[in-house]
Amino acid sequence: MVGDGDRQELRRRQEAVLATRRREYDEDDVRVRPGKSSRPRTRTRPRHADAVDGFVIAVDRGRYTCVLSEAAPDAPVVTAMRARELGRKSVVVGDRVGLVGDTSGAAGALARIVRIAERRSVLRRTADDDETTAEGRLERVVVANADQLVIVSALADPPPRTGFIDRCLVAAYDADIEPLLCLTKADLAGPDQVVGYYAELELPYVLIRPDSDLDALRSLLAGRVSVMVGHSGVGKSTLVNRLVPDAARAVGTVSAIGRGRHTSTSAVALPLPAAPGVAPGAVAGWIVDTPGVRSFGLAHVSAESLLHGFPDLVEATVDCPPNCPHTPDEADCALDSWVAAGKADPRRLASYRRLLASRSGEGDAREPERNPGDPLAGS
């Protein structure tokens, strides 16, 4: 039998064994998950007072090619990336930006865009006219801060397409950009029909022949940021190469920096050489060369603003009933009587109504260039 003394001795031995295994714990052994700080998160962002001003001339897959505002015309271009603090703000060709970091333009150097100046104008287009479609909702900014939209159209081969010109005019007026009609291949056909079609608009135009000296066009481009748009085959690239003799080299330089797609698939700003008598190397203006486009969707333009692209029809709408849709089936629409009285070209009304129909999904935005029955379009 085990007596009380033996039990006590056994208990003391067990306690001694447990004591050797026992560990003293303190606050360092306890993992405490940090709570939310009572200090409010600041929204203050760096001022970047040392940022230098730049001008975006090309965009390629997250890399932005810029020139410094105060740099010499022959200075190397600067490659930059967008700073995280800009959030989802897009950077496009023509933007005036603030740059920090390595702005030397040396090989491998990379700056950061930390600021985007307020845009004076924004030229947009969509792939479709109907904003309810995926293509209509996909809005593309062609260029920012442009002063002038140069619509390049051939007088022959291919024939002029007034439907496309009308669309460009609507986009220009909506963006508050002055339009300029540039008619190429004037040696193959006369401009009377096209000029007459836009007579009521007093649309400025310039004729281009293969042997033209381009002085008239250069004077209209001087000191401005001009966007050139046009279909493939109208001679836009040839015209750009004549205006900017180093265009091929400049475009190649931008491509090498971005290491992306060929720049014919995206807009690129090219410096116009100064006129004779001006300091060598000075920049007389900028041409933003855009790739050839098949359509110029206007889903971003409201139905009310669409009429602003047809100023020769605006006065007639004063006699229209309230909320007039201006469609052919509206009996009280004053546009028909306005045209019947010879105050506007019927082809202009047809073009306007065709755009209205396209906005409602009844037309095809990929085929806007030819107005039905328009002899200028060759149809």
Side-chain angles (χ1 to χ4, degrees), residues 34-87:
K36 293 183 179 180
S37 173
S38 59
R39 181 180 179 182
R41 185 176 181 180
T42 178
R43 293 181 178 272
T44 304
R45 294 290 184 264
R47 293 182 178 274
H48 295 296
D50 58 339
V52 296
D53 295 332
F55 176 66
V56 180
I57 63 172
V59 178
D60 188 7
R61 299 183 182 183
R63 290 294 182 265
Y64 305 89
T65 307
C66 310
V67 293
L68 302 183
S69 300
E70 302 299 329
D74 56 350
V77 294
V78 176
T79 303
M81 62 181 295
R82 185 177 56 189
R84 179 180 295 181
E85 61 203 68
L86 292 179

Side-chain angles (χ1 to χ4, degrees), residues 112-296:
R112 283 189 304 131
I113 297 176
V114 296
R115 203 162 45 235
I116 305 173
E118 183 178 357
R119 294 166 175 169
R120 294 181 288 106
S121 65
V122 181
L123 179 66
R124 300 179 173 91
R125 78 177 183 94
T126 56
D128 195 357
D129 288 334
D130 188 356
E131 60 183 3
T132 63
T133 65
E135 292 81 3
R137 290 191 296 268
L138 183 58
E139 183 178 302
R140 296 183 178 90
V141 176
V142 180
V143 68
N145 299 315
D147 304 303
Q148 187 170 232
L149 178 62
V150 183
I151 309 167
V152 184
S153 176
L155 289 170
D157 191 28
R161 297 177 175 179
T162 55
F164 177 78
I165 297 175
D166 289 344
R167 287 172 170 270
C168 292
L169 290 175
V170 170
Y173 293 135
D174 181 70
D176 198 20
I177 299 174
E178 295 182 16
L180 171 64
L181 185 58
C182 183
L183 300 173
T184 61
K185 305 184 182 181
D187 57 317
L188 300 180
D192 293 344
Q193 284 188 310
V194 180
V195 174
Y197 180 75
Y198 294 104
E200 296 296 326
L201 276 65
E202 298 182 355
L203 179 64
Y205 69 94
V206 60
L207 299 177
I208 303 297
R209 297 179 176 84
D211 56 349
S212 298
D213 56 15
L214 302 184
D215 288 345
L217 179 57
R218 284 193 177 95
S219 65
L220 294 170
L221 301 176
R224 314 181 102 186
V225 178
S226 302
V227 188
M228 303 192 79
V229 297
H231 285 286
S232 298
V234 298
K236 181 172 63 68
S237 297
T238 301
L239 184 60
V240 170
N241 289 329
R242 291 182 62 189
L243 290 168
V244 187
D246 293 333
R249 180 177 61 82
V251 169
T253 301
V254 171
S255 294
I257 290 176
R259 294 183 180 180
R261 299 169 297 231
H262 191 276
T263 48
S264 62
T265 62
S266 58
V268 57
L270 302 169
L272 276 169
V278 182
V283 177
W286 291 90
I287 291 179
V288 180
D289 186 21
T290 61
V293 294
R294 183 181 176 185
S295 64
F296 211 108

Side-chain angles (χ1 to χ4, degrees), residues 14 76 95 103 141 152 154 173 191 204 232 247 251 262 312 328 345 356 371-372:
Q14 289 175 344
D95 268 329
T103 59
V141 176
V152 184
Y173 293 135
S232 298
V251 169
H262 191 276
D312 47 334
D345 193 315
L356 285 177
N371 286 325

Side-chain angles (χ1 to χ4, degrees), residues 235-369:
K236 181 172 63 68
S237 297
T238 301
L239 184 60
V240 170
N241 289 329
R242 291 182 62 189
L243 290 168
V244 187
D246 293 333
R249 180 177 61 82
V251 169
T253 301
V254 171
S255 294
I257 290 176
R259 294 183 180 180
R261 299 169 297 231
H262 191 276
T263 48
S264 62
T265 62
S266 58
V268 57
L270 302 169
L272 276 169
V278 182
V283 177
W286 291 90
I287 291 179
V288 180
D289 186 21
T290 61
V293 294
R294 183 181 176 185
S295 64
F296 211 108
L298 300 173
H300 62 284
V301 181
S302 65
E304 294 76 14
S305 297
L306 193 66
L307 188 62
H308 296 164
F310 298 82
D312 47 334
L313 302 177
V314 172
E315 187 177 348
T317 60
V318 175
D319 298 326
C320 286
N323 302 319
C324 178
H326 306 308
T327 53
D329 55 353
E330 177 58 45
D332 296 328
C333 181
L335 291 177
D336 295 281
S337 58
W338 181 265
V339 169
K343 297 180 179 180
D345 193 315
R347 294 170 298 180
R348 294 280 293 161
L349 177 57
S351 179
Y352 169 62
R353 283 178 169 167
R354 191 166 191 268
L355 290 179
L356 285 177
S358 184
R359 282 189 56 84
S360 62
E362 299 174 9
D364 187 355
R366 297 170 299 175
E367 194 183 13
E369 303 89 354

